Amino acid sequence: MLSATLPECPRYIAPPPTQSDCTCSPKPTAYPDCHYLVDFADLRVIDLARANTPEGRAELVPQLRDALRTNGFVYAINHGYSQAACDRIFDIADVPFTAVPPDEMNIYNASIDKAGYYAGYKPRKYWKVDAENGIMDQIDNYAMNFDVTQRPHPQALRPFLPELDAFARHNHFNILHPILRLIALSLELPEETLVDKHNFDRAGKTLITFLKYYRRTDEEEEKSKNVWMKGHTDIGSVTILWSQPVSGLQILSPDGKWRWVRHIDNALVINTGDMMEFLTGGFYKPTIHRVVQPPSDQRAYDRLGVVYFVMADDDVRLLPLAHSPVLQRVGIERRFSEEDAPLSDVWRRERTITYGRTELTKGTNDNTEEEVVSGIVVTHYN
């Protein structure tokens, strides 16, 4: 139970949303053809409050299924946090970047290259964005396990650990588990099928992650064609992004065009990742997305993100749920043989160690690059 009196935290003043809605006719095929006007993706909004009753879940199942199988991203509203509670989380999210001295940050660096885990700080210029031109990322991360007591944290963040514990539990039980139940129902499986693979009290590497995207030089923007994170899929099963106003996130739409994700106050942006593809035999594909330079009216601001990156329990073997009647009807795409299917812990570690660090080879399609992780070809999109 949180105290009625919360510790003081400097206010994070969110920048205003972009006013650059695209009215071009015809609409531009991809950023940056239209520098001032933005082509937003048309994404479904689901009301999570409806997931609390059997009738509501029956209504939401086809909505979520169709959204995840087309655009791959969906908004969720009425998730249980007020706008004030959401604002408070963003206040706390800025603390690791504004209230912790650089020397102290170094003490809490993540062991990414050895442990394959982002818990702690990932400093800027760790990931390669454009290896050919020597462009590195300008993103600071601070991440913590969903058990926020698992490792120590910087002094400035410690007063907020009770709130962060409550935030982790809220994401897990009030957002993630309802989404997993809807996905299980869409596969005509018992509601708890996927919940049982995503426990809160079992060994797992689900992360609360705070990200600070810093502005880049004009030269870096030109060399990287304004791309801040190249197109990729997420490692885990589900990603829960807390919407924030600085645009930059884009999805690769079914028609092959990159479209922006619009900010909605106090909404969540939810997508599926690699692990969900493996567990559902390809029925739910991981969503291809990237981050680019914000629209012209937001380029004076840095971009603060809050994400709940969900991994299946460490000991879950990433095999398709072959007993699903839906998968039996539509067919199962297997990325691994049964004997070679990795544990969740292994896939997370191998993908994390290599992401943004290894030399990529030219892909089979234009503007793609590839690497092989645990015997699987992983594609990156330029």
Side-chain angles (χ1 to χ4, degrees):
M1 184 78 177
L2 288 176
S3 167
T5 304
L6 298 176
E8 284 192 19
C9 184
R11 286 302 315 276
Y12 169 73
I13 306 301
T18 182
Q19 300 301 308
S20 300
D21 206 342
C22 185
T23 56
C24 297
S25 181
K27 296 213 172 189
T29 57
Y31 181 86
D33 295 342
C34 179
H35 287 281
Y36 301 102
L37 299 172
V38 175
D39 187 12
F40 286 107
D42 184 16
L43 303 180
R44 178 175 282 278
V45 180
I46 65 167
D47 184 350
L48 265 188
R50 300 284 298 154
N52 293 328
T53 66
E55 298 78 15
R57 289 193 289 277
E59 176 187 316
L60 292 178
V61 164
Q63 295 179 18
L64 182 67
R65 178 198 62 213
D66 294 347
L68 292 180
R69 281 173 58 81
T70 51
N71 282 314
F73 270 60
V74 63
Y75 294 108
I77 59 172
N78 295 327
H79 46 73
Y81 260 37
S82 66
Q83 183 65 60
C86 179
D87 291 345
R88 172 73 176 181
I89 289 299
F90 275 87
D91 293 344
I92 297 171
D94 205 30
V95 168
F97 313 115
T98 58
V100 180
D103 289 348
E104 189 181 2
M105 287 183 180
N106 292 334
I107 297 171
Y108 297 98
N109 277 342
S111 180
I112 304 170
D113 57 343
K114 295 183 176 63
Y117 194 38
Y118 287 119
Y121 281 102
K122 180 212 74 69
R124 278 182 270 180
K125 299 187 177 182
Y126 184 83
W127 294 322
K128 300 173 186 175
V129 176
D130 183 343
E132 183 178 342
N133 289 303
I135 303 301
M136 307 295 285
D137 77 276
Q138 290 290 350
I139 308 165
D140 274 340
N141 287 18
Y142 187 79
M144 64 190 75
N145 187 270
F146 59 167
D147 174 2
V148 301
T149 66
Q150 191 178 87
R151 57 174 283 157
H153 301 281
Q155 181 69 39
L157 202 58
R158 293 174 197 170
F160 309 109
L161 290 180
E163 292 173 83
L164 292 171
D165 175 66
F167 182 67
R169 293 173 185 275
H170 180 75
N171 276 274
H172 213 86
F173 293 114
N174 299 332
I175 301 167
L176 171 65
H177 280 183
I179 292 293
L180 293 177
R181 291 187 182 104
L182 295 175
I183 292 175
L185 289 171
S186 77
L187 299 171
E188 298 174 13
L189 291 169
E191 285 190 2
E192 301 302 300
T193 300
L194 286 165
V195 169
D196 290 343
K197 298 180 184 296
H198 296 79
N199 293 281
F200 195 83
D201 56 356
R202 296 276 298 277
K205 299 300 188 296
T206 292
L207 289 168
I208 301 171
T209 302
F210 304 142
L211 306 96
K212 193 77 171 278
Y213 295 75
Y214 294 92
R215 288 157 284 175
R216 304 193 308 190
T217 66
D218 291 343
E219 181 182 7
E220 288 175 319
E221 294 293 358
E222 182 178 0
K223 285 183 177 180
S224 66
K225 299 180 175 63
N226 308 99
V227 173
W228 287 11
M229 286 186 72
K230 66 178 62 176
H232 64 283
T233 60
D234 288 339
I235 296 169
S237 47
V238 175
T239 299
I240 301 168
L241 170 71
W242 290 70
S243 187
Q244 56 77 45
V246 180
S247 297
L249 177 62
Q250 293 184 332
I251 63 171
L252 188 59
S253 298
D255 61 4
K257 298 176 182 177
W258 292 102
R259 289 191 170 86
W260 301 71
V261 175
R262 184 191 302 273
H263 167 62
I264 298 177
D265 284 341
N266 199 27
L268 310 172
V269 182
I270 296 174
N271 66 278
T272 52
D274 296 342
M275 291 185 188
M276 189 61 72
E277 178 186 24
F278 303 149
L279 291 170
T280 64
F283 190 78
Y284 289 110
K285 304 287 189 187
T287 311
I288 301 163
H289 55 286
R290 69 179 184 179
V291 179
V292 299
Q293 183 187 34
S296 57
D297 60 347
Q298 292 187 314
R299 291 179 189 167
Y301 304 108
D302 295 324
R303 184 174 183 269
L304 181 65
V306 174
V307 189
Y308 195 66
F309 284 114
V310 178
M311 312 286 165
D313 298 346
D314 281 352
D315 61 358
V316 168
R317 194 163 293 281
L318 299 174
L319 286 167
L321 299 165
H323 56 297
S324 159
V326 171
L327 298 188
Q328 291 173 5
R329 289 197 299 271
V330 304
I332 297 173
E333 296 178 17
R334 295 182 182 271
R335 301 293 301 275
F336 309 97
S337 64
E338 190 149 336
E339 58 272 19
D340 291 334
L343 297 175
S344 167
D345 190 50
V346 172
W347 179 255
R348 180 267 315 156
R349 184 175 64 248
E350 296 302 314
R351 276 278 270 134
T352 302
I353 288 172
T354 62
Y355 180 78
R357 303 290 285 177
T358 58
E359 296 298 325
L360 305 176
T361 60
K362 183 174 174 53
T364 54
N365 299 318
D366 289 342
N367 298 321
T368 63
E369 297 170 299
E370 296 175 347
E371 61 176 321
V372 177
V373 180
S374 294
I376 292 295
V377 175
V378 175
T379 304
H380 302 262
Y381 300 79
N382 292 328

